[in-house]
Amino acid sequence: MTAAFAKKLVFFSTAALTTPVFAAATAPISIAPPEPGVTMDFQRDVYPILKANCIACHNKTTTKADLNMETPALMKKGGESGVGILPGRGADSIILQAAAHTWDSVMPPKGNKVGAVNLTPRELGVLKAWIDQGAKASEKHEQQIAWQPLPPGLNPIYSLAMTKDGRFAACSRANQIFIYDLATRQFVTRLTDDALIKQDIYKNAGVAHRDLVQSLAFSPDGARLASGSFREVKIWRHEKGAPVTRKAGLAAGPAAARLSADARQIVSTDKSGALLVLDAASGKVLKTISNVNAAGIKLIAIAPDSSKAAVHGADGALAIWNLQDGRSLAVKPGVTGVRALTWTRDGKAVATAGEDKIIRVWPLPEGAGAELSPAKELKGATGAINVLETGAGPDHLLTAGDDGIVRLWSIAGGKVAREFKIAGVASLALSIDGRQLAAGCGDGAVRIWDAQTPKQVAELRGDLESTRRMAALDWEIAARTMDSTFQTAEIARIDADTKALDDRLKKSNDAIAAGKKALPDKQKAVKPAQDAKAAAQKAAGDVTAELAKAPGGKPDAALEKKNKEAQDKLMAAVKAEETAVAAVKTAEDQIKDAEAEVKIVSDARTKNTKLTADAKAALDAAKQAAAKATADLTALKTTVSKDATKPLAVGFSADGQQVAAALANGSLRAWSVTSGAALDLVEATGSLTGASVAWESSGSWVVCGADSTTTRVPAAAKWALEKVLGGEMPGSPFVDRVTALRFSPDGRTLAAGGGEPSRTGDILLWETAAWKLAKKIEERHSDSVLSIDFSPDGRLLASGGADKAVRITDIASGGQVRLFEGHTHHVLGVSFRADGRILASSGADNVVKIWDMITGDRKKNIDGWDKEVTSLQFIGATDQLLTSAGDNRVRLVRDSGAEVRSIAGLPDFMHGAAGTATASVLIGGGQDSVLRVWDGATGKEMAAFAAK
């Protein structure tokens, strides 16, 4: 039904519609009634007809002529012309008449743009029968969705997210969610809803939702991930076990202990000289070997397969013991000056080194009880050797000593294969593949070297907590610097405004002075003008009297001339008096207006004075806060750089991606070898005299002290489903896809945006403590909500929708406080700047718009994209915006419009991007299903994760 049609109907009352008033524009369409006795159902029989040919122009969003035909109630309500259907009177209902072409305006109109066609006689019969039967609505019923598996190969990344600290990234592919560790640049897991696996549709793990995942958001602390899909949001919790410390329980008091390479066993010795084999997890004594060395055991080395142990005693005896049956396999007394002991990689020999700078390799003899004899003596060290470790292969050994050189030795060649100049080495480890060397140094640093070149590739210091504190201080400095910039500009603006006010004030005061100076003269001119007027009136009156006395009432020419002159003088006098009076009033009004202007300007100037004082105070506070944060950051960096806590032991994870150090203060620190990022920390538990560290196959670091106390630190963590909000069952608060998610800055609220496409744009707010629906803001947009963001103070929520609008909602009241219009297509992204004074929005109209939250004005349009700008995010406390777009680019631009960096030439349409607070790491994903990781400083790709 067109607007023209509806407007024509307004001229006729409902009663007048029983027959057409005008001749039909086209031939009527016959009506074929359905079979007798058939009851029509609106949803089953009528709605499909209307949807195909009427509802495209008469729906909630496109309501032509104010007529909505989506429900019986709305059709009864009608539009601009009144009711559209009369229950029980199909022939009299204008909707049927228009569809049957028996009314002046016919529906659908010829040449319409939605492809609607004339109803068939059968369809008209169905419509008329339904109206005749009362035009009833269908009974409401819930229909269970028959879910089918998504087709294979449907893997575009439609949504992605990054934790605030930049440690983890998540991306969606179809109904799956992938988690990646950005520090180690490794795939972590696919999230799995076990309830879906139990159903017949999905057989394998890794399915998070039934339908496509449309949105993702991490909580501020990174402990939760929210994912949105069709009519549901799922909350996933990052569950990482806390470090577990097992205190030594040996009554005799251990004197030395060593952890096996697989971290499953500990070989310890007590003061009586016995060897004890312990289960590393429980501390249970598995084997006791008595009378190993009564003088006491100083050094222990465990064979790679954990079947044997080599020990060196205080009396100089070197011995090898079978840990399974407790037999002595070999011994060599009088081996003095030994500082370090280890096994070869193949477990066929042990090696010793120490004060005499010589490495001796002792093959394991055949038979039990034989005497050890060195097969090789490796010479060439220029200082006493303090550290001796197994090499990557059976032919290699690693040493470090007092000469500040780490040497890789070839046993077969009897010489040094490679040297590394590393001073003060306290511990060494080689990755399993032999490519990387870790050296724990006396200055507290762990240095990573390329074992092949050899070159140092990283210096690792600090821990996770200090890294987080540095990041927080960096943020504080950037935020306060931004505030300083704003306040400085604000002071300049106010000063310029005050200068303009001063000019206005001077002009007003000058006007008052000039007016007051001229007013007395103007006032003096009034009396003479009044006197002249009175004299002119008298003279004119005298002439009038003479005219009355003229004979026969006919004055002569002279008298008439005299009368005219008198009247002219009177008119001139009246005008002169009016001019004089007006001049006085004008002068008085000018003075009054100028005085009012002085008050307005003075009040504005007083206000500006206060604003300037406030801005200066805010500027001083921002500078002081920035200075304090800078000083704190400098002090923290100095503390970290000067921390000389000795790494007593270092070790690599099985994949070589992590390195851990056990420190002399009892703490454990772990880092990513690839990025150098701090990963884990166990706080200091007390001074250690010796330690060993190993990677357990389950994904944990295990540290063993000299007293056999162990600490197990889970490096791997799992993501578990915590809560499902909504779902497919009746009563879900979500009516359709959840296309936008965001946690509030304090993590206490989750905002979810969505709605029914082309009908509603809803926002739901959830309290995260108990996952209670706190507020449902229905129809904030007239189409789906596609993007949301909280203001930094958490009081406002910005939302962008398919209705081309950006709306600002007050969280407390739920009311709309601002509306920003200007986009000509869907608003795909919104982001507040860290100070909350600026909001950016991006759209399918290929543009980014910058909005002033203080004035409500649009500050700038930023162009330069060839296709949709699919996402945007303000980077940290800066003016930089990270964007993704359909033109195969990820761009970093300032809110002034200047481009910082463009990562161009990507393979396909990009749906999303995210970055760390310093833009040091950027991620992006799109149609080609690859999650890419870039160095934000250079734009260089550091990793690319394809679908698995």
Side-chain angles (χ1 to χ4, degrees), residues 66-89:
D66 255 355
L67 178 64
N68 188 333
M69 298 177 65
E70 292 178 299
T71 68
L74 291 170
M75 284 190 286
K76 292 173 186 176
K77 179 181 177 182
E80 294 176 355
S81 315
V83 297
I85 56 175
L86 300 170
R89 297 165 59 188

Side-chain angles (χ1 to χ4, degrees), residues 539-540 542-544 546-547 550 554-570:
D542 291 344
V543 174
T544 301
E546 290 182 33
L547 288 173
K554 295 180 179 179
D556 57 19
L559 186 57
E560 286 182 349
K561 180 181 178 182
K562 183 178 180 181
N563 180 57
K564 183 177 183 307
E565 289 175 349
Q567 292 299 324
D568 289 344
K569 288 181 179 180
L570 176 59

Side-chain angles (χ1 to χ4, degrees), residues 42 46-60 62 68-71 759:
F42 174 75
V46 179
Y47 185 77
I49 299 171
L50 301 179
K51 184 177 181 181
N53 298 291
C54 306
I55 290 178
C57 293
H58 299 281
N59 56 67
K60 185 172 183 178
T62 307
N68 188 333
M69 298 177 65
E70 292 178 299
T71 68
R759 292 180 58 79

